[in-house]
Amino acid sequence: MNVQFRESTEAASPLTVKTAIADCDIHPARATRTELYPYLAKRWQHHLEVYGVHAYQGMMEGPPYPKAQPNASRRDAYPPEGGPQGSSLSFMRKQLLDPNNVELGVLNPLNTGQGIRNHELSAALCSAINDWQIDKWTSKDKRLKASIVVGNEDGLSAAAEIRERAGDKNFVQVLLLSRNVEPLGQRRYWPIYQAAEEAGLPVGVHAFGFGGNPITPSGWPSYYIEEMVGHSQCQQSALASLVLEGVFERFPKLKMVMIEAGFGWAPSLAWRLDKVWHRLRSEVPHVKRPPSEYIREQVWWTTQPMEDPERREDLFDVIKWIGWDRLLFATDYPHWDYDEPSRVLPAGVSDANREAFYLGNARKLYGIAA
């Protein structure tokens, strides 16, 4: 949603044109079906033409809840030269980067090689996506930085991809999705966290994914709106797993970013985890501290889709618990629930918190010098 504050309360405080921002969730798209082919071996080009791609889900292709228009994107985001929304760098500059003075834009490609049953194909597609990000995007505009996409269900090949890209200034984080074959704290994913920690790269966990399981604990919902609301539930499950399986204790320098699932639920999840941990801590001796401590120290949050409570002070109570230094502004461009930068924060936010919110936190997390 585009978060707006009602006129009956505080009006939104618009950004000036000169206010630089970091956009920590931009979705680049491929202009054509075969755009990745130059980055794939002939073997995999042939495989895609003959056998296609098979994800961990019942549907042969596409998401379980189609969003009624290509790429789930804004209708005004179609590039004038053709192609799907998000596929044109020149139009992205015109529509997003330049008018909003985006100083840092983090690319999070979706519809990649993640969640594919053929792990070799998954690794090949993810590597191709990473080469494509450099060739088409980051090498053409230095404001843009890429996320390392990895074949998430094969921890060893994913770790190898991270180590191959480590030190490449085109990349600022590793990208995972929230719906996987198993909860993200499971040991099959630990090589990913180890490689990311060694490389000093945050791990972003983005909403969506192809894990082959229903998106609720009791089956498939009837409507797309239930899937959208359910993103926060998937993220909560992923975060609880990371804490309780001991990932943060085992990898104390690991930094996680929860992307595109809101953040208003963070305090209540942490409170509940703490309460139960105090009673059942003997079951998880590897979790040596209250879960809330790991969350507050090792987790960051992108803002979109930012919750919009009727009482503004409720939102600021949540932010106070999380910390202004843990929020990363994001638009979700070019998707339909894009957040306009000037309509997110109300008046009354201090200059220091505003600067951290829009730019400073991202610079610090991703190691981008001013």
Side-chain angles (χ1 to χ4, degrees):
M1 64 180 176
N2 293 343
V3 176
Q4 301 184 27
F5 292 85
R6 295 176 178 82
E7 295 179 359
S8 59
T9 58
E10 293 179 307
S13 177
L15 297 174
T16 64
V17 173
K18 294 184 179 180
T19 301
I21 69 171
D23 187 345
C24 296
D25 191 23
I26 300 173
H27 296 297
R30 302 194 291 273
T32 65
R33 182 182 64 85
T34 60
E35 192 168 272
L36 284 186
Y37 279 21
Y39 313 100
L40 286 169
K42 292 291 185 182
R43 169 199 174 184
W44 295 120
Q45 295 179 34
H46 178 265
H47 185 101
L48 291 173
E49 293 295 335
V50 176
Y51 303 105
V53 171
H54 303 289
Y56 282 99
Q57 62 177 33
M59 288 66 76
M60 292 298 290
E61 62 180 14
Y65 297 94
K67 301 178 182 180
Q69 60 167 308
N71 207 24
S73 298
R74 296 163 41 177
R75 295 186 184 277
D76 68 344
Y78 281 105
E81 66 268 35
Q85 302 100 314
S87 64
S88 166
L89 175 57
S90 62
F91 194 59
M92 182 184 290
R93 287 170 175 155
K94 181 178 180 180
Q95 192 170 50
L96 173 70
L97 302 179
D98 295 342
N100 292 302
N101 198 14
V102 174
E103 186 172 293
L104 168 64
V106 180
L107 302 176
N108 292 317
L110 302 179
N111 191 25
T112 63
Q114 293 185 326
I116 295 176
R117 287 180 244 164
N118 183 329
H119 290 180
E120 287 186 272
L121 174 60
S122 177
L125 284 170
C126 289
S127 181
I129 283 282
N130 294 331
D131 289 336
W132 167 82
Q133 287 186 88
I134 296 173
D135 195 35
K136 182 173 179 177
W137 302 94
T138 62
S139 66
K140 302 292 196 307
D141 195 312
K142 296 305 180 183
R143 294 173 291 184
L144 297 177
K145 298 295 181 180
S147 298
I148 303 174
V149 181
V150 296
N152 55 312
E153 300 301 346
D154 181 4
L156 293 179
S157 69
E161 181 71 13
I162 294 169
R163 293 188 173 101
E164 181 178 339
R165 307 286 178 174
D168 187 333
K169 298 303 182 182
N170 288 288
F171 297 96
V172 294
Q173 72 178 0
V174 177
L175 185 63
L176 298 177
L177 299 175
S178 61
R179 299 173 186 163
N180 302 274
V181 169
E182 293 184 283
L184 275 177
Q186 297 288 320
R187 291 176 182 244
R188 67 187 296 163
Y189 306 114
W190 285 13
I192 298 173
Y193 309 136
Q194 181 178 354
E197 185 185 56
E198 290 173 357
L201 291 169
V203 174
V205 180
H206 196 287
F208 293 100
F210 302 97
N213 304 305
I215 64 175
T216 79
S218 56
W220 296 95
S222 300
Y223 304 108
Y224 170 59
I225 187 173
E226 295 179 72
E227 182 192 33
M228 289 298 295
V229 174
H231 288 323
S232 62
Q233 299 165 18
C234 292
Q235 291 277 36
Q236 289 179 66
S237 296
L239 184 53
S241 176
L242 289 162
V243 172
L244 297 177
E245 294 284 352
V247 170
F248 292 129
E249 182 65 38
R250 186 178 183 86
F251 306 106
K253 296 182 180 179
L254 180 66
K255 299 175 181 179
M256 305 290 294
V257 185
M258 301 289 109
I259 305 173
E260 201 177 314
F263 55 85
W265 47 267
S268 61
L269 174 66
W271 296 334
R272 184 173 296 277
L273 285 171
D274 281 359
K275 179 180 179 179
V276 178
W277 175 80
H278 281 294
R279 288 163 172 76
L280 300 176
R281 58 191 298 180
S282 62
E283 184 189 21
V284 286
H286 50 274
V287 182
K288 302 183 184 302
R289 296 186 288 146
S292 62
E293 293 187 15
Y294 297 106
I295 293 172
R296 297 177 82 168
E297 291 175 10
Q298 292 182 248
V299 178
W300 280 252
W301 317 78
T302 64
T303 58
Q304 196 285 330
M306 191 169 174
E307 286 82 1
D308 187 18
E310 292 185 8
R311 287 174 13 110
R312 295 300 163 267
E313 54 267 35
D314 292 342
L315 180 62
F316 286 105
D317 285 344
V318 172
I319 295 176
K320 183 178 180 180
W321 186 92
I322 290 174
W324 280 99
D325 62 334
R326 288 298 191 266
L327 291 176
L328 309 172
F329 175 72
T331 65
D332 192 31
Y333 181 87
H335 292 168
W336 62 267
D337 46 357
Y338 168 91
D339 274 355
E340 168 62 42
S342 67
R343 296 177 179 268
V344 174
L345 287 183
V349 179
S350 71
D351 290 343
N353 285 339
R354 186 177 292 271
E355 191 281 333
F357 178 91
Y358 280 113
L359 182 59
N361 295 339
R363 273 180 175 167
K364 184 176 181 180
L365 176 65
Y366 294 124
I368 305 297

